[in-house]
Amino acid sequence: MTTHVWDYLPEYENERADIHDAVETVLRSGQLVLGRSVRGFEEEFAAYHGLRHGVGVDNGTNAIKLGLQACGIGPGDEVITVSNTAAPTVVAIDGTGATPVFVDVDPETYLMRVDQVEAAITPRTRALLPVHLYGQCVDMAPLKALAERHGLVIFEDCAQAHGARHHGRLAGTMGTAAAFSFYPTKVLGAYGDGGATLTDDDEVERNLRRLRYYGMEERYYVVRTPGHNSRLDELQAEILRRKLTRLDAYVEGRREVARRYAEGLADTDLVLPALAPGNDHVHYVYVVRHPRRDAVIEALKAYDISLNISYPWPIHTMSGFAHLGYARGALPVTERVADEIFSLPMYPALSTGVQDKVIGALRDVMAAL
Ligand SMILES: *Cc1c(COP(=O)(O)O)cnc(C)c1O
């Protein structure tokens, strides 16, 4: 049987009764759009983070795009981020009309090189957008110092970092606003698309509620454009409320898988995930690195284990972003790691039997390489 890099079915079997009850609750509520479940989830998700406002939207991409717009960012502005991220981070920035500007990443943690940010700041820079990639946070103290000195917004992309902590603080609580995705594979995943933006700023919250609702503050009257129809679905919101109560357990489950992988693979030539100072990792993906990555993946095919590469192409090398004008070689670490990384099966309900199969197969392959 193929071992998948991600599979929701074991978790669904464990939680079936609760998920069905969530669906039944919404279907019987008499309110299918922006009802009690969206409002409840927004309040509970914000409260989990100790923040005042959460606004549910239709996906993580729009949580970033509308979030940036709610912070006043748009055409003519520059947003500093990384090219080593999921494409939606940059699609969302681009979607606001602002220009994404990239700095390189650290070769050990794959996170934003915060020490390169200051040199990338221009008079047009409006926001710094750290991506808490793979489940651990960017070094926030120096980023905050820069933001204060230059009067910039910090917008956290937390799509991979639900429940992650940085010097004790939760991801999503360290900037002006933060975006989350609830795409099914994420650490907190829905049974379909979903997203949310968190903020403590009343005006940003108000802007978000208007932006996701056609530009309206009350029915049928558009106050201001742009407007979108980007509401979080009521069914997904109720499922997310139930799953939020288990978020800490999901994170524990992922940490246990990561711990077993690290133990089982410690004496191989694979470069295992590195933890940056002050971070509690939530292991959204378990990324390893090897200079002969393609040969390792080829050899693993015989073991029927499916792997993933997060991500095979740096954003600045994609044809869709050619207009940004980055040449190959502009971000050397980003480009090198994209050729060397791959990710192992990772989800909290991954059985120890399957974990051992993955470890055993990798040990065989590495020994024969
Ligand atoms: C998943 C993801 C997104 C986009 O979320 P969607 O819900 O798929 O739109 C954005 N940024 C990062 C880092 C992601 O991993």
Side-chain angles (χ1 to χ4, degrees):
M1 215 171 71
T2 306
T3 296
H4 298 287
V5 73
W6 178 79
D7 187 358
Y8 73 91
L9 288 169
E11 182 186 283
Y12 175 60
E13 287 307 324
N14 294 339
E15 302 184 355
R16 212 164 155 260
D18 191 39
I19 301 300
H20 287 197
D21 185 66
V23 171
E24 181 77 1
T25 300
V26 172
L27 297 189
R28 287 183 178 267
S29 73
Q31 244 183 323
L32 297 175
V33 176
L34 290 188
R36 278 193 293 276
S37 296
V38 167
R39 186 48 100 166
F41 175 67
E42 287 174 341
E43 286 171 8
E44 288 152 14
F45 195 58
Y48 177 89
H49 290 87
L51 294 172
R52 293 173 50 229
H53 307 299
V55 179
V57 294
D58 49 352
N59 54 61
T61 308
N62 283 336
I64 301 169
K65 178 176 158 185
L66 274 58
L68 288 172
Q69 289 178 328
C71 294
I73 288 149
D77 298 334
E78 290 176 359
V79 177
I80 299 175
T81 190
V82 287
S83 178
N84 183 42
T85 180
T89 306
V90 185
V91 170
I93 296 169
D94 187 72
T96 68
T99 302
V101 172
F102 302 122
V103 295
D104 212 346
V105 294
D106 179 88
E108 305 304 320
T109 63
Y110 316 119
L111 297 169
M112 174 185 257
R113 278 282 301 268
V114 174
D115 61 344
Q116 293 186 357
V117 171
E118 183 147 38
I121 294 174
T122 76
R124 288 171 174 262
T125 306
R126 290 286 312 282
L128 309 178
L129 197 149
V131 180
H132 302 317
L133 197 72
Y134 305 149
Q136 69 170 327
C137 294
V138 170
D139 189 10
M140 293 301 287
L143 211 57
K144 284 175 108 161
L146 276 179
E148 269 162 39
R149 189 141 27 93
H150 295 269
L152 307 173
V153 164
I154 290 187
F155 193 97
E156 300 175 75
D157 181 344
C158 300
Q160 305 192 357
H162 315 66
R165 285 180 186 270
H166 181 63
H167 297 288
R169 294 199 61 170
L170 277 168
T173 65
M174 298 178 281
T176 310
F180 290 81
S181 164
F182 307 117
Y183 184 76
T185 62
K186 308 290 184 182
V187 178
L188 178 60
Y191 279 71
D193 279 307
T197 307
L198 296 180
T199 184
D200 254 347
D201 186 309
D202 295 347
E203 194 187 328
V204 172
E205 183 221 5
R206 188 172 166 192
N207 291 343
L208 271 163
R209 293 194 183 284
R210 188 185 64 246
L211 282 158
R212 76 162 178 194
Y213 189 64
Y214 317 108
M216 296 178 186
E217 288 181 356
E218 54 189 306
R219 267 220 290 195
Y220 305 143
Y221 189 90
V222 175
V223 181
R224 197 186 301 168
T225 59
H228 312 271
N229 178 358
S230 284
R231 301 177 289 243
L232 176 61
D233 183 76
E234 193 71 3
L235 281 170
Q236 300 302 343
E238 187 59 33
I239 290 171
L240 286 165
R241 290 179 86 176
R242 311 299 178 93
K243 291 193 65 175
L244 179 59
T245 65
R246 298 187 281 274
L247 173 56
D248 294 345
Y250 298 143
V251 168
E252 266 320 304
R254 286 174 180 273
R255 286 195 182 128
E256 184 55 22
V257 177
R259 196 193 57 73
R260 293 187 86 251
Y261 277 156
E263 196 179 275
L265 300 170
D267 58 351
T268 68
D269 287 340
L270 291 170
V271 180
L272 303 180
L275 193 66
N279 275 347
D280 292 324
H281 209 305
V282 296
H283 297 286
Y284 167 59
V285 278
Y286 193 88
V287 173
V288 298
R289 180 160 54 95
H290 193 275
R292 295 183 58 204
R293 187 262 319 268
D294 294 342
V296 176
I297 289 186
E298 189 55 36
L300 274 167
K301 282 190 180 150
Y303 297 82
D304 218 11
I305 295 170
S306 87
L307 301 167
N308 202 15
I309 300 175
S310 306
Y311 296 93
W313 298 288
I315 311 282
H316 69 284
T317 67
M318 295 180 184
S319 62
F321 293 104
H323 61 280
L324 298 177
Y326 285 84
R328 252 205 188 273
L331 302 165
V333 178
T334 297
E335 291 167 34
R336 180 162 59 82
V337 301
D339 289 334
E340 297 186 350
I341 52 172
F342 62 104
S343 18
L344 311 189
M346 171 56 88
Y347 48 93
L350 188 69
S351 72
T352 52
V354 175
Q355 293 167 37
D356 291 341
K357 175 182 155 187
V358 173
I359 292 167
L362 270 167
R363 294 186 65 87
D364 286 355
V365 164
M366 296 309 296
L369 200 67

